[in-house]
Amino acid sequence: MPTAPQPPEYVLHGARVTGEPGFWAELGRAVHAPDGYYGKNLDALADMLRGGFTPEPPFVLIWRDALRSAQVLTRRVIGPDEEERSYFDAVLDVLRQGGVTVRLR
């Protein structure tokens, strides 16, 4: 019996993330998005993940040096559940809710 194809994997280099603009640039580069654009804020990322843009979930995002990114993406934001969280955690929430498997390394 044939096995289901594995979702594509992309690697985000967290050491290159020096702030929010750098994160968005690195995410676009990591997923090979057309023109390097895969969102510039959390709402835009959620839109990208809903479809019509490449890549479409499901896919795997391997986030290398995730701890370094977490140390940079510290701005506090309010989530849909009205809880405050770091920008890093908010990005993870949007990715996972959008169907992306995130592997922190």
Side-chain angles (χ1 to χ4, degrees), residues 12-57:
L12 188 148
H13 295 279
R16 296 179 186 163
V17 175
T18 58
E20 290 175 30
F23 164 73
W24 295 111
E26 179 59 20
L27 178 62
R29 187 212 58 76
V31 300
H32 310 290
D35 299 322
Y37 179 83
Y38 207 69
K40 293 285 183 196
N41 59 52
L42 298 171
D43 290 333
L45 176 59
D47 289 343
M48 300 297 283
L49 296 171
R50 286 188 192 107
F53 303 95
T54 57
E56 288 189 35

Side-chain angles (χ1 to χ4, degrees), residues 50-74:
R50 286 188 192 107
F53 303 95
T54 57
E56 288 189 35
F59 62 85
V60 176
L61 183 67
I62 300 167
W63 194 329
R64 293 195 177 143
D65 295 311
L67 180 58
R68 289 179 72 178
S69 297
Q71 292 170 338
V72 172
L73 301 174
T74 58

